Amino acid sequence: MNNYKLLTPGPLTTTSTVKEEMLLDRCTWDDDYKSITQKIRSQLLTFAGVDPAQYTAVLMPGSGTFAVESVLTSTIADEDKLLIVSNGAYGERIVQMAGYIGLRFAEYRVSYDQQPDEAGIRSVLETDPDISHIVMVHCETTTGILNPLEMISRLAHEYDKTLIIDAMSSFGGIEMDVGGLGIDYLISSANKCIQGVPGFGFVIAKTGKLAACKGIARSLSLDLFDQWKEMDKDGKWRYTSPTHVVAAFSKAMDELVQEGGIPARSRRYRDNNAMLRERLAQLGIHAYISPDKQSPIITTFLFPNERFSFQDFYAYVKARGYVIYPGKLTEVDTFRIGNIGEIHRQDIEQLCEIIEEYMGVTAK
Ligand SMILES: *Cc1c(COP(=O)(O)O)cnc(C)c1O
């Protein structure tokens, strides 16, 4: 058995009480189980701060990518056109998906360390009136950059476009006013900031928009409209549902409430992330993303010097109880540390001590 904690952006470290929920076997068509699904769906709307008369929540098996693909394949018709705003690997994955599905799309791409800018997007919207949908990743987990939700939602509203947000690594960990921003589809998954285990994703959708999507899906299993219609009857999933994962997620949601809800969790993440960046900066390990654009979720750090070996560093930190993440950039050498999950101040303090010790040892 390993006894290390994950400092990765999902799967992440979960509580033992969340894991214990998976010790029972549950029956998918029994009312006890279906009521868990319904409770999760309604609690998601509460976390999102949306009006249940206007929004619905649909759960979709698979990892987060499956949920993103289910929105793309089910809600964007052949005659529509999608604008993909991208500055990282997850934006690029959406481009890849659009290609597989055969959607009409345009890409607005900026470099990994930059936020998409309003003037650039505005000019695309002005020159390409075919665009009907916009998709953007909120927290690009590739680098940890936080993209401007308020800006994109203002543009979507002004130009009357349907707005899809991949909030996979931010929902539950960063406060956001989903209804106020007018987000049409917000996508996240069980194993990120709500701190469940991997196995399904979810979509918080404007009911009026989703209701108009019957028959669009090019995939049977990823048909979001059908999944919604079936689930909306009484909480039954169309096909086998990940029962253990669902039960664990329900517990994780209760624990989020106990912690003080999203504002309290967001504060914990922010404080831990700030402490981590400050203490590593003192050692000459600097963040790749500037502080004004940095998310409180995951940080990309530049190698401190040319002698630095990620493998060696990784093994040193792992032997002392924490698992970190390799970088995902090609042009610079980086590594990443996530601070979401059941990770508290003491963990970050301990991690910083381990890294301080490592830097002291390798400097000699
Ligand atoms: C985790 C994540 C996804 C989904 O990745 P999976 O590996 O399919 O769970 C999508 N977008 C972002 C921004 C993510 O952080």
Side-chain angles (χ1 to χ4, degrees):
M1 289 275 276
N2 72 50
N3 58 350
Y4 43 74
K5 291 187 178 177
L6 304 180
L7 297 172
T8 56
L12 36 64
T13 306
T14 55
T15 61
S16 51
T17 38
V18 162
K19 288 186 271 279
E20 275 162 21
E21 285 295 314
M22 296 187 286
L23 294 174
L24 289 182
D25 300 308
R26 292 172 175 85
C27 174
T28 51
W29 52 261
D30 186 86
D31 288 342
D32 291 344
Y33 178 71
K34 289 189 289 192
S35 69
I36 301 177
T37 297
Q38 296 299 59
K39 172 242 181 205
I40 288 174
R41 294 179 63 219
S42 99
Q43 212 168 356
L44 281 173
L45 300 182
T46 307
F47 283 145
V50 294
D51 178 358
Q54 286 186 38
Y55 280 85
T56 186
V58 189
L59 316 184
M60 184 58 73
S63 80
T65 304
F66 292 65
V68 177
E69 195 157 353
S70 102
V71 171
L72 259 62
T73 193
S74 310
T75 70
I76 305 172
D78 290 339
E79 62 274 19
D80 292 334
K81 186 167 180 181
L82 175 65
L83 174 62
I84 303 168
V85 176
S86 118
N87 58 348
Y90 291 100
E92 285 160 22
R93 189 176 294 176
I94 294 175
V95 171
Q96 207 182 357
M97 266 176 210
Y100 267 77
I101 299 167
L103 296 178
R104 294 206 301 150
F105 69 95
E107 187 183 3
Y108 181 77
R109 188 194 278 236
V110 297
S111 64
Y112 278 26
D113 59 349
Q114 294 300 318
Q115 288 174 334
D117 73 296
E118 178 166 353
I121 297 173
R122 191 179 282 280
S123 98
V124 176
L125 294 172
E126 289 286 345
T127 52
D128 192 347
D130 284 1
I131 289 167
S132 52
H133 293 65
I134 303 174
V135 62
M136 187 182 78
V137 176
H138 182 210
C139 169
E140 244 303 350
T141 321
T142 320
T143 57
I145 197 170
L146 199 61
N147 284 330
L149 216 45
E150 190 275 328
M151 178 274 278
I152 201 75
S153 85
R154 185 158 32 78
L155 287 183
H157 185 253
E158 189 179 328
Y159 288 88
D160 194 24
K161 311 298 180 194
T162 298
L163 182 60
I164 303 167
I165 296 294
D166 172 348
M168 205 71 66
S169 61
S170 57
F171 184 73
I174 297 177
E175 289 173 83
M176 56 185 103
D177 179 8
V178 178
L181 291 165
I183 298 170
D184 295 294
Y185 300 98
L186 178 133
I187 310 157
S188 186
S189 79
N191 62 280
K192 304 249 174 162
C193 297
I194 296 179
Q195 300 184 182
V197 303
F200 71 89
F202 53 86
V203 182
I204 295 170
K206 219 178 252 177
T207 314
K209 286 278 169 110
L210 185 57
C213 295
K214 187 180 171 63
I216 294 179
R218 292 85 167 170
S219 158
L220 173 71
S221 56
L222 294 177
D223 190 336
L224 188 70
F225 179 91
D226 255 22
Q227 179 81 341
W228 168 51
K229 281 294 170 192
E230 184 68 25
M231 203 169 259
D232 222 30
K233 286 180 198 155
D234 63 353
K236 191 176 170 302
W237 298 49
R238 276 183 310 163
Y239 311 128
T240 299
S241 70
T243 51
H244 300 80
V245 180
V246 168
F249 188 71
S250 172
K251 181 69 176 171
M253 295 185 102
D254 296 342
E255 293 182 358
L256 173 52
V257 173
Q258 279 159 18
E259 184 173 342
I262 295 174
R265 179 155 298 177
S266 144
R267 211 173 314 121
R268 168 163 65 90
Y269 288 175
R270 242 189 353 256
D271 291 349
N272 286 341
N273 181 268
M275 174 166 58
L276 177 68
R277 284 185 293 113
E278 276 159 33
R279 285 186 59 176
L280 295 203
Q282 286 164 13
L283 297 170
I285 303 176
H286 297 283
Y288 170 73
I289 297 296
S290 63
D292 56 314
K293 306 185 193 85
Q294 170 66 48
S295 72
I297 304 295
I298 181 169
T299 311
T300 296
F301 291 101
L302 298 160
F303 283 13
N305 55 55
E306 273 163 21
R307 283 169 290 125
F308 187 83
S309 153
F310 177 72
Q311 253 119 348
D312 190 54
F313 178 61
Y314 178 88
Y316 188 92
V317 175
K318 181 179 166 189
R320 286 155 186 80
Y322 294 95
V323 164
I324 62 167
Y325 224 41
K328 217 174 180 173
L329 304 181
T330 47
E331 74 279 23
V332 270
D333 287 326
T334 56
F335 65 89
R336 291 179 290 173
I337 298 180
N339 57 272
I340 57 178
E342 196 57 13
I343 296 294
H344 294 273
R345 185 183 172 86
Q346 314 82 271
D347 293 301
I348 299 296
E349 278 172 351
Q350 203 182 346
L351 173 75
C352 290
E353 280 159 26
I354 295 166
I355 298 176
E356 282 156 9
E357 190 183 270
Y358 177 81
M359 293 301 286
V361 170
T362 56
K364 282 179 194 131

